Amino acid sequence: MEMTEKDLTLQLFALQDLPYREFQCKLMPTVNPETVIGVRTPALRKLAKAFAKTKESEAFLKTLPHRYYEENIIHGILLSSWKDYGRTVEELDRFLPYVDNWAVCDLIGPQAFRAHPADLPERARGWMGAEHPYTVRFGIGVLMQFYLDESFNPVYMDWVAALRSGEYYVNMMIAWYFATALAKQYDAAISFLENRRLDTWVHNKTIQKAVESYRVTDERKSYLRTLRRKGEG
């Protein structure tokens, strides 16, 4: 099957759902509405699977930036399907600087990472040190997804806690990371709140998200509420 990039765009518009587009745009205030077609994720995944089998998909990946939000989603789905770690990292380094919203950022879940290469945490740390906010957010997400269970190392929490950002979507990811850590690695995570190692907004947002989580016990939620700090959040 052949499918040029133009064909891909035409198929995206054929799948357009205008009420869903309106809903999406409200969730992504940083995205220009003119770049959103309005295609539901299951349809995007199905289209990406078909497109991946074409030779044109390679050219598509090399053509950055893309015009439409959905094209970025398909880009993320394509590279997430690879099993080659080196190729995946190389493509991520090319693609992440063009990611301009949380939805594309959080959708990227490379299969190649599941083998937990020994250098992945340091790679995540490098992304967290970038100037581009969604590259930073992605790096935090890698540590949250892969290194809060059997591969946990407390030093990774230190890396995340050391981040200071004026970017809302970075700070939200830091809070999400620590809220998840409170559910999975409570004894290690609680000290960051008790010792006030996070800025006030992130500290309070972490507590809010943990209190809203079904994975944190009621007893721990009660204690977390006592740790709230005065200030924004």
Side-chain angles (χ1 to χ4, degrees):
M1 183 180 93
E2 293 187 1
M3 186 191 303
T4 66
E5 186 170 352
K6 182 178 180 181
D7 292 333
L8 177 66
T9 303
L10 290 173
Q11 288 208 34
L12 287 170
F13 273 97
L15 295 167
Q16 187 178 53
D17 181 332
L18 290 176
Y20 181 68
R21 176 182 180 274
E22 183 177 352
F23 170 74
Q24 273 191 307
C25 290
K26 290 178 180 178
L27 294 178
M28 303 183 300
T30 63
V31 179
N32 180 353
E34 293 182 1
T35 68
V36 180
I37 298 171
V39 182
R40 294 181 180 272
T41 302
L44 286 172
R45 291 191 181 279
K46 184 176 180 180
L47 183 57
K49 186 176 181 179
F51 188 50
K53 299 175 182 178
T54 70
K55 61 183 180 182
E56 287 79 14
S57 65
E58 290 294 331
F60 170 79
L61 291 170
K62 294 177 182 178
T63 306
L64 288 169
H66 300 302
R67 179 177 180 181
Y68 293 105
Y69 160 79
E70 285 81 3
E71 291 173 337
N72 282 322
I73 288 286
I74 286 179
H75 194 130
I77 292 172
L78 290 175
L79 67 88
S80 293
S81 69
W82 299 338
K83 295 182 180 179
D84 184 323
Y85 175 75
R87 182 189 181 201
T88 300
V89 169
E90 182 179 357
E91 178 60 26
L92 279 168
D93 285 340
R94 288 186 60 252
F95 180 53
L96 286 172
Y98 295 98
V99 174
D100 63 356
N101 64 86
W102 66 267
V104 173
C105 179
D106 295 0
L107 172 134
I108 305 170
Q111 289 188 25
F113 287 1
R114 297 188 183 282
H116 297 293
D119 63 340
L120 181 55
E122 284 293 344
R123 180 67 64 174
R125 190 181 190 185
W127 287 322
M128 288 161 52
E131 293 185 7
H132 182 246
Y134 293 101
T135 303
V136 179
R137 182 180 172 100
F138 179 77
I140 301 167
V142 169
L143 294 181
M144 181 175 72
Q145 182 177 357
F146 295 103
Y147 296 96
L148 284 177
D149 295 297
E150 64 273 7
S151 300
F152 173 68
N153 185 328
V155 73
Y156 304 152
M157 284 188 178
D158 291 327
W159 295 353
V160 179
L163 291 172
R164 292 293 182 271
S165 175
E167 296 285 345
Y168 173 82
Y169 288 101
V170 171
N171 287 328
M172 278 297 295
M173 182 57 87
I174 298 172
W176 187 8
Y177 172 88
F178 276 100
T180 304
L182 286 166
K184 294 186 172 186
Q185 301 290 344
Y186 180 82
D187 291 340
I190 192 64
S191 67
F192 287 83
L193 298 178
E194 292 173 331
N195 296 319
R196 300 191 171 196
R197 293 186 57 186
L198 308 176
D199 73 32
T200 300
W201 191 93
V202 173
H203 176 106
N204 289 337
K205 186 60 69 172
T206 296
I207 293 172
Q208 176 189 326
K209 293 176 77 68
V211 167
E212 292 171 350
S213 173
Y214 67 88
R215 296 183 294 179
V216 178
T217 66
D218 289 341
E219 181 180 4
R220 287 175 174 174
K221 288 179 182 179
S222 295
Y223 177 57
L224 286 168
R225 291 186 180 99
T226 71
L227 296 178
R228 286 179 174 145
R229 291 159 59 182
K230 292 182 179 180
E232 185 181 2

